[in-house]
Every structure is written in structure tokens, then in C-alpha cells.
Amino acid sequence: ALTLARRIGFEKGEAVSLNRIGNAYDILGNYPGAMAAFLQALALNEKINNPDGIRRNYNNIGLSYFRQEDYRQALFYYYQAKDLAEKHYLNATDSAEKYENKKGLCVTLNNIGETYYRLKIYDSAKIYTEQSSAVAEQINYPRILGGTLTVLGHIHSEKGQNTLALEYFRLSIPYLEKAENYVRLSEAFMGIAKVFEKDKLSDSVLFYAKWSLLKAKETGFTRQVRDAGRFLTSYYRTIKNPDSAFFYLDITKIANDSLFSLEKSRQLQSLAFDEKLRQVDIAAAELKDMKKRNHNLQYAAIALGLLTFIILFLLLSHSVIANQKLIRFLGVIALLIVFEFINLFIHPYLSHATNDLPLIMLLVMVCIAALLVPLHHRLEKWISHRLVEKNKKIRLEAAKKTIAKLEPASAKAFADKGEQTN
């Protein structure tokens, strides 16, 4: 998609492709690669003034910082995404556009809430997560609804409000199952287990911790398998059950080794992905060079054609075949072609120098025209006058020669006629 977008100059498509490439890097754990792709996409979206694309880029850049635990920097980008979503929701006229902005808003609010939770600023975390939950409920978005309820459960659990925490975790489960968000579902079950651990309800702790492990294993989320295994290992040690502790320790070790192996595999995939992108860049550079060569060839052809036209014009003006009107007309055409070729040639350099700013380009073009137009008129007048006069002289000389040839013939014919009469 990136190659095609670049080939046809479709900048919005290029930005979308780069954003998806950033997501792929993020999944592979290559956060520098993700950040580079997101920033390229952001620059393109800003260039074409695509607010929806900019909002998505801000969110993704924030998420990239979040995964690296740079929460303050993540918040900086999340807040910019939030401002854009709110602004464009108010300005949106189409219902589908309003829905997309609301969807983007509730995702961003949820990200802000979870980031404050990680910073242990629980009051702010609660405010933004509740706002996200309210927006998600308005548009019936189960994935975010389940996620916000899980985060609220964690917040109340951290604050020691176990009853409320338990209620939020339980409320999140139907939404998470509907959205098939098994990562959050595993986290919700683990959150419930931790609440019951505080209340010293051993059977409930084990029931929900094992559910968390089971859901993670069923859906292949190795990190959640490891976390649930660690919790169960620790809990069985606490209640003096070494056999079960060793059993879950083995599960934890296998999951941890698998994660390490997965990291290595992801690194290899990331390197392969880098190489593919490098090939895309090479292809783009080759395409750019080919276009440049084509442009240069066209410029050379235009220059050669212009030179040929001028030579033919000068030859024609020295011929008796051409009349004065034709010479004047062709003179104007020749000058127009010359000056338009100058404009065509300097335009790319002018565009680069002014960074395509319309006002500056207009001012520069006016200044160039102020120099070229009077010069054009003077040259037109001088060339037309000079060539017309030259053509007049040539035609006159030709006429004189014709008359000179005709005069002896006429005299001879007159003499012959006189003799016949005598």
C-alpha cells in the first residue's frame, strides 16, 4: 500500500499505510520503528490537513510512549488527540463523522485514564476513565466499555474500595466477552482474584486466578499466562501448598521462556520488516530518479523543439513565401514559447525555495512577470519590426530582379511586333 501510494502521489494513502506500519512495529515491540513510522504519518497528515489522521497519529505516538513507561510524554500526545477529537466532533455535520470522532474521543479518554492509573494519580484516572465510559455507553462501544470498567476496578482496588472494585470487574466481563477482548478479560479475572485475596477468601481467589490463566492460555496471550502463573505460584506458597506452587512455577517458567523466544522471533520479524521497508524506499528512490530523468528528457526535447522552431522561423522570415502577417504571428508565438519555457523551468526551484507557500509564490511570480512582460513586449516589437522590414527588403529585391528579367523580354517583344507591322 505504501509503495502504491507513493507511486501515484496519494499522500493520505501514504499516511494511512505508515500508521499501520507503526502499529505493526508496535506489536513486534520495535518502539523506535513504530515511533518513526507514526511521526512520518503525522507529518503527511499535517501537510494535507487531515485532522482524523492527525488524531490517530497522536494517539498511537502516545501509546508508544505508554508502552515504554514514559507516561508524561504519553499524556502530552493523548491530550492533543483529545482536543482534536472534541473540536472536530463539534464541527462535524455528517452522523458517521460524528460517530468516528466520538469513538476516537472515548479511546483517547480511556488511554488518559489508564496512564494516570499507572502514575498512581487515582483521582484523575477515575475522572477520565468515567468520561470514557460515558461516551462509550452513548455510542454502544463494548470494547472500550469493558476496558474502562476494568480500569475502574483496578483504581478502586488500589484505593482499598474492594466492594466497588469487585462490582466494576464483574460489570466488565459481559462487555469484554462480547468484544472478544481476552487480554482485558484475563486482567479482569485477575483483578477479582486480587480483591478476594485481600478479603482472604481462598476458594474465590483460586477460582478467578485459574480462570484468568485459562482464558490467557486459550487465546495464546503468553504474558498474561506468565502473570497468572506468578500470582498462583506466590499464592500457593503463602497458603503452604508447595506441590501446587511448583506446578504453577513450571507454567510460569515455560511462559517466560516462551516470551523470551517470542521476543527473539519478534526481533527477527522486525528486522525482516525493516528490510522490506528499505526495499520500498529504494523502489521509491528509483521511481523518483526515473521521473527526474523523464522531466530532464522532456526539458531537453522542449529546448530542442524551441531551437528548431526559432531556426525555421528565421529561415521563413528570410523567404519571399512568408507574408508580413505570418511573420508577426510566428514572432509572437516564438517569444511566448521562450518565456513560458523560462517559467516552466524555474517553477520547481521556486516551489522548493518558497516551500509551496501560495502568497510568497504569487509575489515572486509577480516580480518575475514585472521583469519579463516589458522585455517580452520590447523584444516582440523589435523582432517583428526587424524581421518584417527584412522580409520587405527581401521581397522588394526579389521583385526588382523579376522586373529586370521581364524588361528585356518586353522590349524584344515590342520590337518584334513593330517589324511585323512594317
Side-chain angles (χ1 to χ4, degrees):
L2 181 65
T3 304
L4 288 171
R6 283 177 173 170
R7 187 175 297 165
I8 62 173
F10 180 34
E11 289 180 317
K12 186 176 180 181
E14 189 179 346
V16 171
S17 304
L18 284 165
N19 194 51
R20 297 296 171 88
I21 286 167
N23 289 333
Y25 270 131
D26 182 67
I27 291 164
L28 291 168
N30 184 344
Y31 303 124
M35 186 69 72
F38 290 143
L39 289 171
Q40 285 182 64
L42 178 62
L44 280 168
N45 280 317
E46 286 174 341
K47 181 182 174 184
I48 62 175
N49 191 26
N50 178 17
D52 183 62
I54 294 169
R55 176 184 58 76
R56 289 173 190 274
N57 295 149
Y58 282 153
N59 241 330
N60 283 330
I61 293 168
L63 188 62
S64 206
Y65 278 117
F66 178 88
R67 294 203 197 286
Q68 296 173 80
E69 299 182 6
D70 188 348
Y71 299 125
R72 293 292 178 184
Q73 196 65 21
L75 284 173
F76 172 77
Y77 283 99
Y78 285 151
Y79 274 116
Q80 290 190 76
K82 172 181 170 287
D83 291 344
L84 267 178
E86 288 172 340
K87 177 184 174 184
H88 289 282
Y89 173 73
L90 293 172
N91 295 334
T93 52
D94 182 62
S95 58
E97 193 180 351
K98 280 182 176 289
Y99 173 79
E100 281 301 317
N101 277 299
K102 267 203 170 182
K103 190 176 174 182
L105 180 61
C106 72
V107 169
T108 306
L109 290 168
N110 183 52
N111 288 342
I112 293 171
E114 190 165 9
T115 306
Y116 275 123
Y117 165 69
R118 295 295 180 92
L119 287 167
K120 301 186 185 301
I121 305 173
Y122 299 124
D123 289 341
S124 295
K126 183 172 179 290
I127 289 166
Y128 283 103
T129 308
E130 284 176 344
Q131 286 178 9
S132 175
S133 185
V135 177
E137 196 168 1
Q138 285 175 22
I139 61 171
N140 190 25
Y141 193 10
R143 185 177 184 85
I144 294 298
L145 260 174
T148 55
L149 291 167
T150 305
V151 174
L152 286 167
H154 287 310
I155 292 166
H156 287 292
S157 179
E158 290 292 328
K159 292 173 78 175
Q161 298 165 345
N162 295 338
T163 306
L164 263 175
L166 203 57
E167 186 64 24
Y168 278 117
F169 284 132
R170 282 175 172 163
L171 284 170
S172 73
I173 291 168
Y175 293 109
L176 295 171
E177 286 177 336
K178 184 178 179 181
E180 298 181 354
N181 189 349
Y182 297 114
V183 173
R184 287 287 194 191
L185 189 60
S186 178
E187 288 177 7
F189 284 136
M190 184 52 61
I192 294 170
K194 288 177 179 178
V195 171
F196 282 128
E197 184 186 23
K198 291 178 188 177
D199 294 336
K200 302 188 186 306
L201 298 171
S202 181
D203 290 345
S204 297
V205 172
L206 293 172
F207 176 81
Y208 282 101
K210 287 175 182 178
W211 259 107
S212 175
L213 178 65
L214 180 65
K215 282 295 173 187
K217 284 180 81 173
E218 280 179 353
T219 49
F221 292 109
T222 312
R223 195 175 300 278
Q224 281 66 36
V225 170
R226 183 197 64 183
D227 294 344
R230 278 177 179 172
F231 177 84
L232 285 162
T233 301
S234 175
Y235 189 74
Y236 274 118
R237 281 174 178 167
T238 304
I239 62 173
K240 312 296 183 187
N241 187 336
D243 292 341
S244 294
F246 277 118
F247 174 77
Y248 286 105
L249 181 63
D250 282 344
I251 290 174
T252 306
K253 185 178 181 303
I254 290 166
N256 210 43
D257 290 345
S258 180
L259 271 178
F260 181 75
S261 175
L262 190 62
E263 280 300 313
K264 289 290 182 187
S265 174
R266 283 178 172 176
Q267 285 173 14
L268 288 171
Q269 287 176 14
S270 186
L271 288 170
F273 199 46
D274 284 341
E275 176 56 22
K276 285 179 182 177
L277 280 180
R278 192 178 73 85
Q279 293 299 329
V280 168
D281 289 337
I282 289 168
E286 286 176 352
L287 182 65
K288 189 177 178 181
D289 288 342
M290 186 176 72
K291 284 183 176 178
K292 190 175 179 180
R293 282 196 299 273
N294 285 339
H295 282 170
N296 289 338
L297 285 170
Q298 287 180 43
Y299 279 129
I302 291 168
L304 184 62
L306 184 59
L307 185 63
T308 305
F309 178 81
I310 291 169
I311 291 168
L312 290 173
F313 167 65
L314 291 172
L315 290 171
L316 187 64
S317 67
H318 285 71
S319 168
V320 294
I321 300 167
N323 59 37
Q324 295 171 20
K325 286 183 179 179
L326 181 62
I327 291 168
R328 283 197 177 95
F329 174 73
L330 291 175
V332 172
I333 295 295
L335 283 170
L336 279 172
I337 292 172
V338 169
F339 284 102
E340 287 306 316
F341 178 70
I342 291 168
N343 276 333
L344 183 67
F345 185 75
I346 66 172
H347 185 270
Y349 301 102
L350 182 61
S351 177
H352 178 73
T354 60
N355 199 25
D356 280 323
L357 292 172
L359 185 61
I360 297 175
M361 282 190 72
L362 178 64
L363 289 172
V364 174
M365 291 298 285
V366 167
C367 291
I368 292 169
L371 295 171
L372 292 182
V373 170
L375 181 61
H376 178 279
H377 287 316
R378 286 183 184 179
L379 281 171
E380 179 190 339
K381 189 175 179 181
W382 180 76
I383 288 172
S384 296
H385 177 73
R386 181 85 176 254
L387 291 176
V388 167
E389 289 301 318
K390 183 77 174 173
N391 186 257
K392 278 182 182 178
K393 287 179 181 177
I394 290 166
R395 290 168 73 88
L396 187 60
E397 289 295 326
K400 284 179 180 178
K401 286 178 183 178
T402 304
I403 291 166
K405 286 177 182 177
L406 289 173
E407 278 179 350
S410 299
K412 186 181 178 185
F414 182 76
D416 290 343
K417 190 177 180 181
E419 285 176 6
Q420 289 170 7
T421 304
N422 291 334

